[in-house]
Amino acid sequence: MEQASLATKTSSNVIRCRAAVAWTTNAPLSIEEVEVDPPKAGEVRVKIIASGICGTDNHTLEGKMKTPFPVILGHEGAGVVESVGPGVTTVKPGDKVLMFPLPECRECFYCLYPKGNFCEKENILSPTGLMLDGTSRFTCRGKKIYNIMGTSTFTEYTVVHEIAVAKIEAAAPMDTVCIMSCAVPTGFGAVFNTAQVTPGSSCVVFGLGGIGSAIVMACKASGACRIIGVDINEEKFPRARALGVTDCLNPNKLKKPVQEVVKEMTGVGVDFAFEAIGLIETMVAALKSCNRSYGVCVIMGVAPTGSQLSFDPLVLLPGRTLKSSVLGGYKTRDDIPKLVTDYVQKKINIDPLITHRLPFPKINEGFRLLQEGKCIRCVLSMRP
Ligand code: PAD
Ligand code: ZN
């Protein structure tokens, strides 16, 4: 690694360290020295060990998702607790943790209800870029820097709410399980929780990136007998086939709309369709690809802020179901550490999802790999 860590503690207990600041949309991230304030009540300061780059970070950088700038992106992180604020009881300094873009407060209606996971303390639908008390913990060159979904992991240190952090096994390899903060539960949960894919079923997955690949793995694990993968980047096809895709389609090379081709291939359309791109047109195509009587379509892609999904309601009338979820419907603090344990015990394998690893200062190269469709997940390592 080219540069030693800047991290030092000062008397006021503000940490100065390196972070990748997005000053504006559609510009390279800038590695800067930032100040990270100490955690307030109910907050945890974490030393980040590794972080994946997610399609959502890229959507945000491209200005498709409205969130305040300047911002420190990243929400797929694994780290070690450095210090905790007053009242924090569930984690302590030295614990290995994951931090999630969706909290689990364990008090609100949704957290107490057995189904679903969309905690009322979420900061996803109308992101403020701030902590729950309305303030920021980051400054850079005298300016306030916002967070993303209460996380921000493209930094050596971050501050998150206790309700969005969970202790994980000490044996967990941090530079792999970091993708269990987003990509893995999102894809696995879309299949196991939201769609509930059944053995022998047929599936189509639109988008064969990080989320789509995790969906493919879970469809295969659920016993789906046919898994059609759809992507405009054919470089994604060999890896997708290795994960379980049985047929690959490039919509740009088809003479008919992709949903018609899927229908012809399967007779009536698939049992389960997944959208993991984030475009309105592919969401509608996914919906129309599933069989009209009992097909289930799950949208995991996040469309640009303010867009409208429109289709003839007669598409649904015969019985199709249209669903969605965040982080695959997993209650983040309760369920995701168990997935980490399953990985450590070799009950599940997530290794094929990580195709590239880079040192943190090369973060712009990581974004380029994602934008050019060269990687599935690229993990940044913060270790000096
Ligand atoms: P990614 O960039 O790794 O994958 C996107 C894939 O879509 C790539 O392989 C592209 O080639 C492909 N693609 C792009 N346009 C088209 C098109 N017109 N037709 C077919 N294929 C196309 O991103 P990702 O997998 O990290 O994220 C995918 C989406 O999932 C994105 O919208 C992200 O915001 C969303 C997401 N949702 C959640 C959730 O909880 N619901 C969590 C994380 C990410
Ligand atoms: Zn994500």
Side-chain angles (χ1 to χ4, degrees), residues 50-52 75-78 97-101 166 168-169 172-188 327 330-333 335-345 347-351 353-354 377 379:
S51 181
H75 60 275
E76 213 170 63
V97 291
L98 293 185
M99 60 227 90
F100 310 114
I168 55 167
E169 298 241 349
M174 304 297 267
D175 46 13
T176 296
V177 300
C178 60
I179 66 165
M180 288 190 153
S181 287
C182 180
V184 172
T186 298
F188 284 16
L327 281 247
Y330 286 109
K331 296 218 192 283
T332 47
R333 287 199 289 162
D335 297 334
I336 296 178
K338 293 181 199 153
L339 285 179
V340 173
T341 301
D342 285 349
Y343 173 74
V344 170
Q345 295 178 353
K347 291 182 188 156
I348 55 174
N349 183 18
I350 60 168
D351 298 349
L353 295 173
I354 300 173
R377 268 294 189 265
V379 167

Side-chain angles (χ1 to χ4, degrees), residues 25-26 55-56 58-67 124-127 275-284 299-310:
T25 55
N26 292 305
T56 306
N58 191 45
H59 284 340
T60 309
L61 189 60
E62 289 178 341
K64 291 180 187 152
M65 286 173 58
K66 261 212 156 37
T67 191
I124 294 175
L125 294 181
S126 304
E275 201 274 357
I277 301 166
L279 296 174
I280 296 298
E281 61 186 41
T282 46
M283 292 176 184
V284 175
I299 291 177
M300 300 310 285
V302 179
T305 306
S307 46
Q308 301 284 313
L309 182 61
S310 108

